[in-house]
Amino acid sequence: MRDGGLIHIYCGDGKGKTTAAMGLALRCSGHGNKVLIVQFLKNRDTGELKSLALLPGVEVLRGKETSKFTFQMTADEKSQVLKAHEVLFEQMREKCSASEIDLLILDEILGACDKGLFEEKMLIDFLKKKAPEMEVVLTGRNPSPELLRMGDYVSEICKICHPFDKLIKAREGIER
């Protein structure tokens, strides 16, 4: 898949950003391509991880587990997450340098940037250098105007209603 190099952005407050990215990973793997998925702000066990493990050419990197949402974290906890995300990003860079990756999915990186848990400049610099070589997907909320301008595909997923609004917890196989 060497005719890639486009940037996809799935953003918004609705459910389905990661789901769309995983669908693209499924499609890409089905054509024999290599996929690297890096998950920021996510570390709980999910159903897609079990399915992705069965797909040829798909690898997943994840951050360390946190027990709180970002709005519940102290400044010190946020600093620790920022450092962990920087380490995760460096691992991703090394993987991209060591082998040909056709599709790179940076899941929830937009949210990490928005919350100050990853430095957007690092992401932008990477995209300027690596994006011509591979297809890149960014997911999450509140992308900056600069990232939106870089996107070749930009899809906003808008929440009309969500079970969380009714205090219904995430269900196995649907939301996790």
Side-chain angles (χ1 to χ4, degrees):
M1 191 183 88
R2 290 291 109 203
D3 60 346
L6 301 181
I7 297 173
H8 305 238
I9 297 175
Y10 300 126
C11 60
D13 63 356
K15 178 187 178 313
K17 298 175 291 288
T18 296
T19 305
M22 296 308 138
L24 196 52
L26 177 68
R27 178 179 289 158
C28 194
S29 170
H31 284 286
N33 295 304
K34 289 188 77 173
V35 179
L36 178 60
I37 300 167
V38 185
Q39 291 192 313
F40 296 79
L41 300 177
K42 289 184 175 180
N43 42 40
R44 293 189 179 117
D45 191 32
T46 62
E48 67 255 21
L49 292 174
K50 295 171 187 170
S51 297
L52 291 168
L54 302 173
L55 296 176
V58 175
E59 183 176 359
V60 180
L61 297 176
R62 306 182 88 213
K64 70 175 197 141
E65 186 163 346
T66 60
S67 59
K68 297 179 180 178
F69 290 109
T70 56
F71 64 86
Q72 298 169 317
M73 291 180 185
T74 65
D76 185 53
E77 290 168 329
K78 287 181 179 181
S79 177
Q80 290 174 23
V81 172
L82 172 66
K83 289 176 187 163
H85 284 162
E86 288 171 351
V87 169
L88 184 63
F89 197 77
E90 188 54 37
Q91 290 173 339
M92 177 274 299
R93 271 201 255 231
E94 289 171 10
K95 294 240 179 232
C96 289
S97 294
S99 64
E100 271 192 18
I101 303 294
D102 297 297
L103 174 63
L104 173 64
I105 296 173
L106 301 175
D107 189 29
E108 280 302 332
I109 196 161
L110 299 174
C113 290
D114 180 56
K115 298 296 183 188
L117 299 174
F118 189 75
E119 189 177 329
E120 185 176 289
K121 183 179 179 342
M122 287 176 64
L123 173 60
I124 290 170
D125 290 346
F126 174 81
L127 291 172
K128 287 178 179 176
K129 293 175 188 167
K130 294 301 281 187
E133 300 172 21
M134 69 183 82
E135 208 81 1
V136 180
V137 176
L138 312 174
T139 74
R141 294 176 184 224
N142 304 320
S144 71
E146 186 172 2
L147 284 171
L148 287 173
R149 282 190 298 274
M150 293 179 79
D152 298 292
Y153 296 89
V154 177
S155 297
E156 183 176 17
I157 299 172
C158 177
K159 178 186 87 154
I160 305 298
C161 65
H162 192 286
F164 187 77
D165 299 333
K166 299 175 188 173
L167 304 178
I168 298 171
K169 293 182 180 180
R171 298 161 298 146
E172 189 172 298
I174 303 298
E175 289 92 12
R176 58 184 171 100

